[in-house]
């Protein structure tokens, strides 16, 4: 059930939206769900193929450029187009925009790893033909994108001709009216090589500034009675033509291998050819089999089952599948805000990774989470350099948005000023350690990242009247910028500082040699550790006595409240209709801020403060950012606001499938996809990971029959099943483990099921 996303509108109204929804990827290579045969001139479509982290640099133009503003911005590139295949039935070119579409259905198979399109088409001359397109981006050979097309005549025996193109003349998409999309700089790649050699089409492009190169080496094959083959190259593309005898069904397959200089060095074309040679005897069906195997393995741990709501079931599976398709699995890449499904936010990595997406991988596929952490470590030097530019003598300030490390944010109040990203990264290292107990990482990368980020807080904050205060930063809420003592930032910095001390002391006790090595490398002085401790212990956390809430920052409650009830619907998102200063002058939130801090670090405040704060901020939150609903949903679960928890979950789980924000065309909202999982596992499941271990507090929305998910924790695999009358924990792999269940200790025994009934009785059974 619900393994397939199906789109069957024949009117082709939602081309752009469906291109994002039906995009394919494997973390390295991503392709939008475009039509192989193309469109009409005026059709609105974004034809896109992307390689994670493959980018160019563009100049940022400022009216007034002040000190420390980044001069350039990185931008992921739309690379060589290997999607195109024109199909002729006799002399008529197949197009969904001409003739008559008698049947049409597209789908994405999330259990089998491919997308397909079924069409029955009547040409303007009345020839009827069935066409079946299948495509996949391989999870096992990351360079491969394959297309398979079967054409079957219904009422004719005309020849069928396939014209397959590999085109290096490509540009990025621009929309001058939307700040979330780039403006200008659309053409960034030059074609440097075009050849047809050894039966392969070869196209190579180079980015204008970074000189990064990409190649596409393509092999094709037909299955037909008889055919005539020809190839033809222009300055920028290679074309292959197969004219096949008519009367019978014919099949055409295209295997594109994408290589780039980041991963494959300079021998791009040679590597592409080698991949094709290795795949020479591989058929499309073999690739499909490998996809299935890979996905069986993935879903055996990652699947979440919702019994009783097919739409939400589709929403969570779609989210998990898209997360898998988007997440970088090599040292060069992370996971961008839109994954590999579109050009929104220019392929940049944000805090979205650490706070919204990494937790999903951490609890299900920890090796992927580790790779994300190591990617951050690989840009630590950039973060240190950025801190110097920002006037800090020590420490690391991670870029608000980047691909390979340099800050790419042009609007500093909602960009660089979000210093919290450094604490967010520290937080995710700590979570990773608590879940995996990976000592190796703790002693090396984690210790260094924690020390360098702790130093940043000492640089940016100061002690006053016995309190450690942090001025002029922006918290997660981008409608309230450059403030003093943002609660979220301060409490996350406190955690960062306290853990830096903890890790330092731990190394002092356990591994003095390693500590000395790190001290030498980072030139750490003893007094710094005392400073961290003092700052953590005295961190100022704003609290309003009258409202009994954590104030979002020093001045938030003194501002006028925005009247959300009387703001016309068409004025949302506010950022597209009001000058930033207007927004900054009001109590109005783009997204969860203090409420998010209460989720991440719930033990810092009493439940009353958490509840009062939730009630207060919820009324002022627009959820104009897709990162918001899930947080309010998770905290609604904690506070027992069951209806709210459920309705926020619904907004999150189908945000893209139902195009709730209206901009899914620019790419999927990956953080919200992570948020969908968090809403279930941390929301309905109540999962928290703290120093004292794993805790859960599951409950089930009343219109569901059951909920099931699995978690990896310290070499164990735990299955959680929640039903209306009972909760079942199964320790599938690993040693006995004591967890906290609704506030009480519970021993899970290896290979056994623990059943807790609604009336409190408990049973244990072998599995
Ligand atoms: C949100 C940020 C987020 C970014 C990328 C913005 O709209 O306000 O919190 O990091 O989108 O997803």
């Amino acid at each position: 059930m619900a393994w397939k996303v199906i789109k069957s509108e024949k009117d082709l109204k939602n081309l752009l939206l469906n291109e994002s929804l039906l995009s394919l990827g494997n973390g390295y290579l991503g392709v939008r769900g475009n039509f192989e045969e193309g469109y009409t001139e005026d059709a609105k479509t974004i034809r896109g193929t992307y390689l994670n982290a493959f980018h160019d640099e563009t100049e940022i133009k400022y009216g007034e450029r002040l000190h420390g503003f980044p001069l350039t911005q990185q931008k992921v590139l739309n690379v060589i187009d290997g999607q195109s295949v024109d199909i002729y039935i006799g002399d008529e070119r197949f197009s969904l925009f001409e003739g008559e579409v008698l049947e049409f259905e597209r789908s994405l198979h999330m259990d089998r790893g491919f997308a397909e399109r079924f069409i029955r088409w009547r040409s303007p001359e009345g020839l009827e033909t069935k066409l079946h397109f299948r495509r996949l981006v391989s999870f096992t050979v990351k360079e491969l994108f394959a297309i398979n097309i079967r054409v079957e005549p219904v009422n004719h025996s005309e020849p069928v001709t396939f014209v397959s193109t590999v085109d290096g003349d490509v540009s990025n998409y621009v929309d001058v009216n939307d700040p979330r999309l780039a403006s200008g700089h659309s053409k960034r790649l030059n074609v440097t090589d075009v050849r047809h050699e050894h039966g392969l089409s070869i196209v190579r492009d180079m980015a204008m500034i970074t000189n990064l190169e990409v190649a596409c080496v393509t092999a094709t094959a037909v299955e037909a009675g008889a055919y005539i083959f020809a190839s033809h190259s222009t300055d920028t593309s290679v074309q292959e033509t197969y004219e096949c005898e008519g009367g019978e069904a014919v099949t055409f397959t295209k295997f594109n291998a994408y290589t780039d200089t980041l991963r494959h060095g300079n021998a791009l074309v040679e590597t592409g050819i080698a991949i094709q040679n290795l795949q020479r005897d591989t058929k499309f069906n073999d690739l499909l089999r490998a996809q299935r195997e890979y996905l069986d393995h993935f879903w055996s741990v990652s699947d979440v089952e919702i019994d009783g709501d097919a739409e939400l079931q589709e929403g969570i599976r779609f989210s998990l599948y898209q997360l898998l398709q988007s997440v970088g699995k090599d040292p060069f890449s992370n996971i961008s805000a839109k994954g590999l499904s579109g050009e929104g936010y220019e392929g940049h990595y944000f805090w979205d990774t650490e706070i919204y997406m990494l937790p999903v991988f951490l609890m299900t596929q920890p090796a992927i989470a580790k790779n994300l952490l190591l990617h951050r470590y690989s840009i630590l030097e950039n973060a240190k350099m950025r801190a110097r530019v920002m006037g800090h003598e020590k420490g690391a300030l991670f870029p608000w948005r980047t691909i390979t490390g340099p800050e790419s944010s042009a609007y500093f109040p909602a960009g660089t000023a979000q210093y919290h990203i450094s604490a967010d990264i520290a937080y995710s290292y700590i979570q990773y350690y608590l879940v995996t107990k990976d000592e190796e990482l703790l002693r090396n990368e984690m210790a260094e990242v924690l020390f360098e980020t702790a130093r940043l807080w000492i640089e940016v904050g100061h002690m006053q009247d016995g309190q450690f205060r942090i001025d002029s930063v922006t918290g997660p809420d981008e409608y309230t910028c450059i403030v003093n003592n943002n609660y979220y930032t301060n409490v996350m910095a406190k955690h960062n500082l306290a853990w830096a001390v903890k890790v330092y002391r731990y190394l002092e006790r356990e591994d003095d040699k390693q500590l000395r090595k790190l001290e030498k490398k980072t030139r750490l002085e003893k007094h710094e550790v005392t400073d961290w401790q003092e700052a953590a212990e005295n961190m100022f956390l704003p609290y309003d006595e009258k409202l009994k809430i954590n104030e979002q920052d020093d001045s938030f409650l003194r501002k006028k409240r925005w009247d959300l009830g009387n703001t016309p619907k068409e004025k949302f998102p506010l950022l597209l209709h009001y000058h930033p200063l207007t927004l900054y002058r009001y109590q109005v939130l783009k997204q969860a801020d203090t409420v998010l801090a209460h989720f991440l670090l719930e033990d810092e405040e009493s439940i009353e403060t958490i509840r009062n704060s939730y009630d207060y901020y919820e009324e002022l939150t627009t959820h104009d950012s897709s990162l918001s609903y899930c947080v309010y949903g998770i905290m609604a679960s904690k506070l027992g606001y069951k209806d709210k928890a459920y309705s926020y979950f619904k907004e999150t789980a189908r945000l893209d499938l139902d195009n709730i924000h209206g901009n899914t065309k620019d790419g999927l909202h990956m953080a919200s996809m992570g948020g969908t999982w968090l809403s279930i596992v941390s929301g309905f499941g109540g999962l928290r990971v703290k120093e004292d271990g794993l805790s859960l507090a599951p409950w089930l929305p009343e219109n569901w029959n059951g909920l099931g998910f699995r978690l990896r924790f310290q070499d164990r695999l735990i299955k959680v099943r929640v039903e209306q009358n009972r909760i079942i924990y199964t320790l599938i792999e690993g040693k006995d483990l004591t967890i906290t269940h609704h506030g009480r200790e519970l021993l899970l025994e290896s290979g056994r099921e623990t059943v807790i009934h609604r009336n409190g009785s408990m049973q244990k059974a072998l599995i």
Side-chain angles (χ1 to χ4, degrees):
M1 270 276 290
W3 286 108
K4 226 165 136 177
V5 176
I6 303 174
K7 297 281 160 191
S8 48
E9 318 104 0
K10 271 200 278 181
D11 56 15
L12 305 178
K13 253 194 341 240
N14 293 318
L15 282 179
L16 283 166
L17 169 67
N18 290 337
E19 283 168 16
S20 296
L21 294 178
L22 303 179
S23 63
L24 294 175
N26 59 14
Y28 163 66
L29 168 64
V31 190
R32 280 172 69 80
N34 301 114
F35 294 165
E36 286 78 356
E37 72 282 4
Y39 304 82
T40 49
E41 279 285 297
D42 56 350
K44 285 209 173 97
T45 158
I46 302 171
R47 203 172 187 79
T49 307
Y50 313 102
L51 300 184
N52 201 342
F54 185 85
H55 67 282
D56 202 19
E57 261 164 37
T58 61
E59 188 195 345
I60 305 178
K61 292 209 166 69
Y62 299 96
E64 289 173 52
R65 186 170 64 75
L66 302 181
H67 179 80
F69 284 20
L71 298 176
T72 57
Q73 184 177 49
Q74 301 188 315
K75 179 189 183 79
V76 99
L77 297 183
N78 175 27
V79 299
I80 303 165
D81 180 8
Q83 298 195 60
S84 298
V85 186
D86 280 328
I87 300 164
Y88 291 84
I89 315 289
D91 294 333
E92 293 180 283
R93 186 171 158 264
F94 162 64
S95 163
L96 287 170
F97 302 86
E98 281 167 38
E100 206 181 331
V101 179
L102 304 170
E103 282 172 39
F104 179 81
E105 187 175 281
R106 311 176 71 181
S107 46
L108 174 69
H109 295 264
M110 299 181 286
D111 53 344
R112 296 163 69 191
F114 73 100
E116 69 185 333
R117 222 166 20 123
F118 279 110
I119 298 149
R120 196 153 65 85
W121 182 67
R122 187 183 292 137
S123 73
E125 298 285 335
L127 303 182
E128 223 175 282
T129 309
K130 285 186 190 169
L131 298 105
H132 181 200
F133 295 78
R134 289 181 296 172
R135 42 164 58 196
L136 62 86
V137 172
S138 170
F139 284 115
T140 48
V141 185
K142 71 171 193 269
E143 294 82 2
L144 266 194
F145 162 41
I147 300 172
N148 175 270
I149 309 170
R150 185 171 190 274
V151 180
E152 184 187 334
V154 176
N155 65 355
H156 63 87
S157 50
E158 292 293 317
V160 175
T161 307
F162 297 96
V163 182
S164 162
T165 310
V166 181
D167 187 3
D169 184 15
V170 283
S171 300
N172 276 63
Y173 176 75
V174 278
D175 180 347
V176 285
N177 296 316
D178 192 335
R180 295 165 297 183
L181 284 165
S183 49
H185 319 300
S186 64
K187 179 95 184 97
R188 308 301 309 171
L189 283 172
N190 289 321
V191 183
T192 54
D193 192 5
V194 178
R195 273 182 278 160
H196 191 269
E197 224 173 70
H198 317 299
L200 299 170
S201 299
I202 298 167
V203 176
R204 183 172 181 146
D205 278 12
M206 186 189 266
M208 289 174 182
I209 303 294
T210 57
N211 290 344
L212 286 176
E213 291 183 87
V214 53
C216 181
V217 176
T218 301
T220 54
V222 288
E223 287 162 52
Y227 63 86
I228 304 169
F229 173 80
S231 73
H232 166 76
S233 303
T234 69
D235 287 349
T236 53
S237 67
V238 189
Q239 223 170 50
E240 290 187 351
T241 307
Y242 290 91
E243 191 185 328
C244 308
E245 197 178 54
E248 299 277 312
V250 288
T251 306
F252 170 80
T253 311
K254 184 171 188 178
F255 301 93
N256 299 301
Y258 283 89
T259 49
D260 76 339
T261 33
L262 282 173
R263 283 87 175 182
H264 304 93
N266 287 330
L268 288 192
V269 171
E270 293 74 1
T271 310
I273 294 174
I275 291 169
Q276 291 295 3
N277 286 339
L278 275 175
Q279 297 291 318
R280 198 175 284 276
D281 298 324
T282 306
K283 300 266 183 300
F284 191 77
N285 280 340
D286 299 325
L287 294 178
L288 280 178
R289 248 191 310 279
Q291 294 289 88
R292 173 118 220 186
E293 254 172 53
Y294 182 93
L295 287 168
D296 280 351
H297 184 67
F298 169 74
W299 288 117
S300 71
V301 177
S302 296
D303 192 24
V304 171
E305 293 129 359
I306 298 177
D307 306 345
D309 194 321
E311 293 216 318
L312 294 176
Q313 175 71 77
E314 181 184 50
I316 176 64
R317 291 218 171 110
F318 182 68
S319 301
L320 288 162
Y321 186 66
Q322 291 295 357
L323 283 165
L324 175 70
Q325 291 205 123
S326 307
V327 65
K329 299 171 191 76
D330 61 36
F332 305 94
S333 47
N334 202 291
I335 178 163
S336 76
K338 301 286 181 190
L340 293 165
S341 65
E343 295 171 28
Y345 290 124
E346 283 134 317
H348 291 161
Y349 314 134
F350 293 73
W351 72 309
D352 305 30
T353 296
E354 280 70 24
I355 300 301
Y356 291 83
M357 300 187 269
L358 194 143
V360 185
F361 296 110
L362 175 55
M363 302 306 300
T364 51
Q365 317 277 338
I368 296 181
K370 182 168 183 173
N371 188 58
L372 295 171
L373 293 173
L374 292 179
H375 176 265
R376 288 300 194 184
Y377 182 74
S378 77
I379 64 170
L380 182 61
E381 283 311 308
N382 292 82
K384 282 158 64 178
M385 269 152 50
R386 182 68 184 148
R388 303 302 163 269
V389 173
M390 295 300 294
H392 307 306
E393 282 174 17
K394 288 182 177 164
L397 171 60
F398 279 92
W400 176 242
R401 47 194 291 177
T402 190
I403 296 175
T404 60
E407 174 66 280
S408 279
S409 144
Y411 181 63
F412 77 90
T416 296
Q418 295 200 50
Y419 271 48
H420 65 84
I421 187 170
S422 294
D424 302 334
I425 291 170
Y427 181 90
S428 68
Y429 268 95
I430 299 161
Q431 285 284 303
Y432 179 83
Y433 174 71
L434 294 175
V435 171
T436 62
K437 292 280 165 186
D438 184 338
E439 295 287 326
E440 190 58 29
L441 194 87
L442 173 94
R443 286 167 202 235
N444 292 284
E445 294 86 356
M446 173 166 165
E448 200 178 332
V449 167
L450 258 55
F451 295 170
E452 293 293 357
T453 46
R455 282 173 147 173
L456 177 77
W457 303 116
I458 300 301
E459 285 282 319
V460 71
H462 63 110
M463 286 294 289
Q464 191 179 47
D465 303 331
Q467 288 174 322
F468 191 81
R469 310 174 67 94
I470 299 174
D471 294 332
S472 298
V473 294
T474 297
D477 166 25
E478 295 187 351
Y479 288 171
T480 308
C481 289
I482 321 215
V483 292
N484 298 341
N485 297 304
N486 166 252
Y487 176 84
Y488 178 94
T489 308
N490 285 22
V491 79
M492 291 293 280
K494 175 179 173 182
H495 187 64
N496 186 165
L497 288 157
W499 265 87
V501 177
K502 203 175 291 212
V503 169
Y504 183 91
R505 302 271 177 248
Y506 172 85
L507 289 177
E508 239 175 7
R509 276 194 322 270
E510 304 288 329
D511 195 346
D512 199 43
K513 202 167 136 218
Q514 171 65 4
L515 183 59
R516 265 180 283 128
K517 208 172 105 195
L518 278 174
E519 278 177 334
K520 200 165 157 219
K521 181 169 183 199
T522 58
R523 301 209 181 121
L524 190 68
E525 294 165 52
K526 289 264 182 286
H527 75 87
E528 290 188 66
V529 185
T530 324
D531 294 346
W532 300 342
Q533 186 155 6
E534 191 192 10
E537 281 168 5
N538 298 293
M539 183 64 72
F540 172 56
L541 299 176
Y543 177 78
D544 184 81
E545 291 290 346
K546 217 164 91 216
L547 295 168
K548 304 200 178 325
I549 66 171
N550 286 119
E551 191 174 0
Q552 189 170 307
D553 60 72
D554 280 359
S555 61
F556 189 84
L557 296 176
R558 271 155 287 284
K559 293 177 184 171
K560 194 172 167 184
R561 286 170 72 100
W562 187 286
D563 186 357
L564 279 179
N566 285 315
T567 308
K569 245 181 143 180
E570 61 277 10
K571 293 284 189 192
F572 293 92
L574 301 182
L575 70 108
L576 294 184
H577 303 276
Y578 299 89
H579 190 280
L581 277 177
T582 309
L583 299 171
Y584 301 168
R585 290 192 183 112
Y586 285 84
Q587 291 188 41
V588 63
L589 281 75
K590 183 178 178 189
Q591 63 208 94
D593 193 297
T594 310
V595 174
L596 175 57
H598 288 162
F599 163 47
L600 299 175
L601 295 169
E602 63 182 9
D603 295 334
E604 287 290 338
E605 304 297 337
S606 70
I607 189 78
E608 288 72 35
T609 305
I610 292 179
R611 183 183 302 280
N612 295 338
S613 303
Y614 185 99
D615 295 344
Y616 188 84
Y617 292 112
E618 190 193 20
E619 284 186 6
L620 298 167
T621 305
T622 57
H623 308 290
D624 279 351
S625 159
S626 67
L627 281 63
S628 193
Y629 298 125
C630 57
V631 179
Y632 276 91
I634 294 165
M635 290 308 282
S637 269
K638 178 176 169 79
L639 295 168
Y641 297 161
K642 295 192 171 176
D643 291 348
K644 282 186 183 177
Y646 186 68
S647 61
Y648 279 122
F649 174 63
K650 274 172 70 176
E651 299 283 346
T652 306
R654 296 195 53 92
L655 187 109
D656 283 314
L657 286 169
D658 297 339
N659 196 15
I660 291 173
H661 272 212
N663 63 350
T664 295
K665 68 171 177 42
D666 305 322
L668 303 168
H669 297 80
M670 295 315 304
S672 171
M673 306 249 168
T676 301
W677 183 90
L678 285 170
S679 302
I680 294 177
V681 177
S682 301
F684 305 134
L687 170 80
R688 302 289 188 275
V689 175
K690 300 180 195 166
E691 273 185 271
D692 58 3
L694 181 84
S695 58
L696 288 143
W699 68 279
L700 193 68
E702 64 184 24
N703 38 347
W704 291 358
N705 303 322
L707 169 67
F709 55 86
R710 286 158 207 77
L711 299 172
R712 286 214 176 274
F713 183 76
Q714 295 177 6
D715 293 328
R716 285 138 178 127
L717 179 61
I718 305 162
K719 187 169 145 201
V720 182
R721 166 98 194 148
V722 194
E723 293 171 4
Q724 291 299 354
N725 292 321
R726 55 184 199 162
I727 294 162
I728 309 164
Y729 294 107
T730 315
L731 188 48
I732 302 175
E733 284 171 23
K735 291 195 235 139
D736 292 2
L737 176 75
T738 302
I739 64 163
T740 307
H741 167 79
H742 282 285
R744 292 197 177 169
E745 278 194 0
L746 178 70
L747 174 71
L748 304 186
E749 290 170 64
S750 180
R752 279 177 189 262
E753 235 180 43
T754 306
V755 187
I756 301 147
H757 296 275
R758 200 179 195 149
N759 61 14
S761 65
M762 195 166 78
Q763 268 170 338
K764 299 220 177 204
L766 278 174
I767 47 174

